[in-house]
Amino acid sequence: MTLQKTAYTWRRLTAPEVTEVYLNEMRRDFPAGELKPLSMILASEAEGMAHTWGVFDGDKLAAYLLMVQPEGVAVSQLDYFAVVPQYRAGGLGAQLLAALPEYEKAAQAIIIESECPEKAEDEAMAVRRLGFYARCGARDTGYTEHLFDAWFRVLVLPCPGAPEQTALDTVNALVDCYKHTISEGEWRKYVQFYAPDGSSCC
């Protein structure tokens, strides 16, 4: 399949559309342990803390991107991103991720959490994901995150025209996201960050 950039349109999905994507796409694309409850996603969107982009080929959904950006937070967090099966293997994912900053205009940067290969069940897949994000312009901050039972590398995708952030600025902004979306007790218990030298931070 040859993919043409001009053939795709972006728009924010409504709550019923998000529900449909969750039931028909996300449950297929992500392991059950990685999926937030649908009720949590819908509540976050209703409260203005998150939004979902649908990317369409005519009237057909080609990809979806769930973003977290609470009011007053300077960055957007890429929560879930997938290309639907019939549009994969043609480069669309890289095209869309590279274009994402154009649509997240209110953000100074986009934060991506990517599984640490050395901690992943599928190390090769984790390495491929890091390579994919790097090819799309994401920079590895060198910081790692222990989120519940999983380990992630913290990546940042800069937004054009935004002030340049240090790696620590990026991690602090991600902490700010968590402070707005889960209780302080939960994020202090289940979310820990580590500097490149291995020391605990944030």
Side-chain angles (χ1 to χ4, degrees), residues 146-168:
H146 189 207
L147 177 61
F148 293 94
D149 293 325
W151 288 86
F152 298 92
R153 298 200 67 82
V154 180
L155 315 179
V156 60
L157 186 64
C159 291
E164 186 173 350
Q165 293 188 321
T166 67
L168 184 57

Side-chain angles (χ1 to χ4, degrees), residues 3-4 19 23 30-32 43 46 59-60 65 84 97 120-121 124 127 134 137 144 153 164 166 169 178 193-195:
L3 301 175
Q4 299 296 326
T19 299
L23 297 176
F30 295 94
D59 60 356
K60 294 180 180 179
L65 306 93
V84 301
L97 190 62
E121 290 186 12
V127 169
T144 55
R153 298 200 67 82
E164 186 173 350
T166 67
D169 289 338
Y178 280 118
F193 292 93
Y194 298 89

